[in-house]
Amino acid sequence: MRLTRRTFLGSAAATLALPRVGHAAVEELRPSPVNLQILPPDYPTTDVWGYGGMPGPEIRLPQGARLDRRLVNGLAQPTTIHWHGLRLPNAMDGVAGVTQDSVAPGGSFDYGFDLKDAGTYWYHPHDRSYEQVGRGLAGALIVTEADAPEVDRDEALVLQDWRMQPTGEMVEDFGALHDMAHAGRIGNYVTANGQSYIARDLPLHARLRLRLINAASARIMQIVHSGFAGWTVAEDGHPLEAPVALPDVLVLGPGQRVDVIVDVAATGDATAYLGLIEGDSAAVLYEVTPTSAERDAALAAPAPLPPNPLPPLGDLAAARAAEVRIEGGAMGGMTAARADGVERPMQDLVEMGLVWALNGAAGMPDAPIATVSPGETLRMPLINDTAWPHVMHLHGHPFRVIDGDRPAGPWRDSVLVMPDTRTEIAFRAEEPGDWLFHCHMLDHSASGMMHWVKVA
Ligand code: C2O
Ligand code: CU
């Protein structure tokens, strides 16, 4: 008898339903359509896609622990889960069509790997992500240090950007060419952990560690603050060598994270808040109403976070360089690019939904940017020849911005590259496999800004 996939899945499900002695059930992440309050409380609810609530359940595990999750697809389209920013085996990276087959509706996939690095990471689908992330699929993944700085409160803020109608309907215009060729699908409403804003009552001088995650498809978030005194301690999960005083504006491109440690310092009737710049005003994302102090004065400045066990960058002067030239988009003047291995004029590309190119290739090319061996250092000068900012993200390998032969920035996994600028990054290759390098403005990656590096 021929065994079809459906029969096979059915019998597998039946087996799983039997109680198993001595085996804890694997926790599930089940993306599915769900109706939730997304707009402020006095508005109607919205049909979104979520892993249960909004955002997805926060995964919080100690450094060195193993993460095990079963993806069970409750959507009507295939999906995967990508663990953004983590160093892990390539087969666990969750990239549809590259590191795994996409998981069909009703199907499942088991992810399991060790958490090497502490910090603030996140998870999201890596199939049609411009739609799936845009409809709400994202969650925080927090890996805690054994030796964490003392704080009164530690919380992640997953920032999501929605294109909404006042009736509560989401504007369902995913994949529109105009958005793709411009700044991406920027919404008109930003939430923090699925709410219009978060309000807390905390004592004056209370110390908070806030982990901001930009889970938007396209919006570069500029976050101002008032009534907090503090420091930036980590970017994209990785500790800064030393805490730096909180800047007036925190800038987070899509996919990027920042950890801040802040003390409630607002006095009188003032509140302490983080606000998102929108035009010439700021919308409150997180607000603390100070209550009476439980300590006489603010705590002393925090020590640096313990560094992650990253391999050193190695000898930059001796390292190979592989340039990445970013072209295309509106006002970019791109006239042709390769797609599916064929050089095509712009008009044909547009018909294929492709408007950007990396090194002359629009969409995932057959050959990588470079093939590097494990342990090798690769420099990548990124040349933005477009009229738009991009946030370039490398899978599986934290990198640093470099200046000549010296590191010039912290470890991170996504970097904003402004129009008509050149930014050079370098990383040390580790796990073998095909690792994506793409723009994390998800409409941009879907319309051409998708490439890869081979480690072999
Ligand atoms: Cu956050 Cu390739 O992804
Ligand atoms: Cu981009």
Side-chain angles (χ1 to χ4, degrees):
M1 196 183 78
R2 200 170 139 263
L3 195 64
T4 68
R5 185 154 182 82
R6 179 169 294 275
T7 311
F8 174 72
L9 285 173
S11 56
T15 314
L16 287 173
L18 296 174
R20 293 208 224 166
V21 181
H23 285 275
V26 181
E27 278 185 63
E28 289 183 356
L29 284 171
R30 188 186 288 268
S32 57
V34 55
N35 186 269
L36 293 171
Q37 187 73 47
I38 298 296
L39 288 178
D42 39 343
Y43 284 82
T45 57
T46 301
D47 288 325
V48 297
W49 292 357
Y51 298 102
M54 190 60 61
E58 178 177 302
I59 301 176
R60 194 175 270 259
L61 288 166
Q63 185 172 15
R66 183 179 163 85
L67 180 151
D68 278 299
R69 287 294 183 282
R70 173 167 300 156
L71 162 63
V72 180
N73 187 2
L75 303 172
Q77 59 175 245
T79 193
T80 61
I81 297 179
H82 169 59
W83 311 94
H84 181 118
L86 291 184
R87 296 189 294 146
L88 38 56
N90 193 249
M92 292 292 117
D93 200 38
V95 182
V98 177
T99 67
Q100 67 171 95
D101 291 336
S102 202
V103 178
S108 68
F109 187 91
D110 288 351
Y111 294 96
F113 49 88
D114 295 331
L115 298 163
K116 298 180 186 176
D117 298 323
T120 302
Y121 304 93
W122 64 298
Y123 61 92
H124 64 79
H126 220 297
D127 192 355
R128 288 178 68 84
S129 53
Y130 64 95
E131 176 182 7
Q132 296 192 4
V133 174
R135 288 186 185 272
L137 291 171
L141 168 51
I142 308 303
V143 186
T144 55
E145 305 89 1
D147 199 5
E150 198 192 317
V151 294
D152 300 306
R153 185 171 190 97
D154 175 338
E155 63 184 320
L157 306 182
V158 179
L159 306 177
Q160 291 167 290
D161 185 27
W162 309 87
R163 194 176 276 185
M164 300 290 285
Q165 268 154 6
T167 51
E169 261 110 45
M170 195 183 296
V171 183
E172 299 198 338
D173 58 351
F174 299 97
L177 190 66
H178 184 274
D179 285 332
M180 289 183 159
H182 292 76
R185 187 175 173 279
I186 292 181
N188 55 6
Y189 177 65
V190 171
T191 54
N193 295 347
Q195 302 162 57
S196 56
Y197 70 97
I198 296 170
R200 308 245 178 263
D201 291 338
L202 291 168
L204 178 67
H205 304 315
R207 175 161 286 182
L208 295 82
R209 177 170 180 179
L210 297 175
R211 304 161 179 270
L212 276 54
I213 301 171
N214 184 345
S217 303
R219 183 192 284 265
I220 298 173
M221 301 203 185
Q222 295 183 277
I223 294 159
V224 290
H225 55 89
S226 173
F228 285 123
W231 302 264
T232 301
V233 295
E235 289 188 295
D236 289 356
H238 295 286
L240 303 185
E241 275 161 28
V244 301
L246 206 58
D248 292 341
V249 184
L250 291 160
V251 179
L252 279 186
Q256 292 186 313
R257 288 89 63 213
V258 65
D259 285 38
V260 298
I261 291 182
V262 293
D263 296 329
V264 177
T267 52
D269 290 335
T271 61
Y273 64 83
L274 297 179
L276 179 80
I277 298 184
E278 286 181 321
D280 46 18
S281 58
V284 171
L285 291 170
Y286 187 93
E287 185 170 38
V288 174
T289 303
T291 58
S292 49
E294 287 176 2
R295 56 176 70 97
D296 295 340
L299 296 170
L305 298 174
N308 281 323
L310 299 174
L313 212 40
D315 184 355
L316 288 171
R320 229 174 356 131
E323 195 174 275
V324 178
R325 184 171 294 276
I326 307 167
E327 291 170 298
M331 298 169 286
M334 183 166 88
T335 55
R338 258 174 303 110
D340 297 335
V342 179
E343 186 77 12
R344 301 170 196 268
M346 194 65 196
Q347 198 184 322
D348 293 9
L349 295 172
V350 167
E351 273 163 32
M352 298 168 76
L354 297 169
V355 289
W356 305 92
L358 297 177
N359 288 348
M364 189 75 171
D366 289 336
I369 294 166
T371 302
V372 285
S373 22
E376 189 182 344
T377 303
L378 186 70
R379 303 166 63 133
M380 296 206 296
L382 312 177
I383 296 144
N384 185 352
D385 238 346
T386 78
W388 304 90
H390 301 287
V391 58
M392 302 308 297
H393 170 52
L394 178 63
H395 282 215
H397 297 83
F399 56 76
R400 295 182 77 169
V401 169
I402 61 170
D403 178 12
D405 296 336
R406 287 189 328 276
W411 291 100
R412 58 184 326 143
D413 59 60
S414 306
V415 65
L416 265 172
V417 186
M418 301 313 280
D420 293 315
T421 63
R422 175 189 186 279
T423 299
E424 187 165 0
I425 63 171
F427 70 96
R428 184 81 172 261
E430 287 191 88
E431 292 276 348
D434 299 344
W435 297 101
L436 287 196
F437 182 69
H438 64 89
C439 182
H440 218 287
M441 288 156 172
L442 302 172
D443 304 281
H444 289 179
S445 52
S447 56
M449 296 190 70
M450 188 66 95
H451 215 313
W452 57 294
V453 169
K454 189 172 192 69
V455 178

